[in-house]
Amino acid sequence: MGIENAGSSAPESWHRVADVAELADGALKPVVVAGNLIVLIRIGERYGALDNQCPHAGGPLAEGTLEDGRLICPWHGREYNPLSGKCEGYDQPVRAYKVEVRSDGIYVAL
Ligand code: FES
């Protein structure tokens, strides 16, 4: 099952980042993908992957909270769409990556 969200148009390379069982519903899991720190997010059967660093002042989004389908930055409370990375009220999204759930794990495209 593939879940698509925002991504760049550059050539993609897919990286296996976790077992499906590692990510419970509502989980925020920091993972390193090709040297980039990314937060992997599960909301029900939907998955997101965002840069871990909040674009406002660098807050660690993996230490944030999920509330009503939004990811809240732990430092100043900006609210992000955990799938698209769009920021409510600010024109400063966090970079989002494509995620796929495959039979052998969760993959993120860079
Ligand atoms: S660092 Fe995230 S809202 Fe300020």
Side-chain angles (χ1 to χ4, degrees):
M1 175 177 59
I3 305 294
E4 290 196 9
N5 54 26
S8 75
S9 58
E12 299 169 344
S13 63
W14 288 90
H15 301 262
R16 185 182 181 283
V17 295
D19 290 329
V20 177
E22 285 181 63
L23 220 63
D25 189 8
L28 299 169
K29 179 180 175 59
V31 294
V32 177
V33 184
N36 301 290
L37 187 54
I38 288 172
V39 56
L40 196 59
I41 303 153
R42 178 176 173 186
I43 301 175
E45 294 308 312
R46 296 179 303 161
Y47 294 78
L50 305 177
D51 272 339
N52 188 57
Q53 196 171 48
C54 177
H56 175 225
L61 294 176
E63 296 174 22
T65 55
L66 284 172
E67 294 176 20
D68 297 327
R70 298 183 308 271
L71 172 59
I72 314 296
C73 178
W75 284 6
H76 310 104
R78 284 195 183 182
E79 300 181 3
Y80 294 94
N81 179 309
L83 305 181
S84 71
K86 289 182 179 166
C87 183
E88 293 188 20
Y90 299 93
D91 186 22
Q92 203 173 22
V94 62
R95 183 169 182 185
Y97 302 90
K98 291 181 182 175
V99 182
E100 278 189 6
V101 179
R102 302 180 186 176
S103 58
D104 64 336
I106 301 172
Y107 286 73
V108 170
L110 258 60

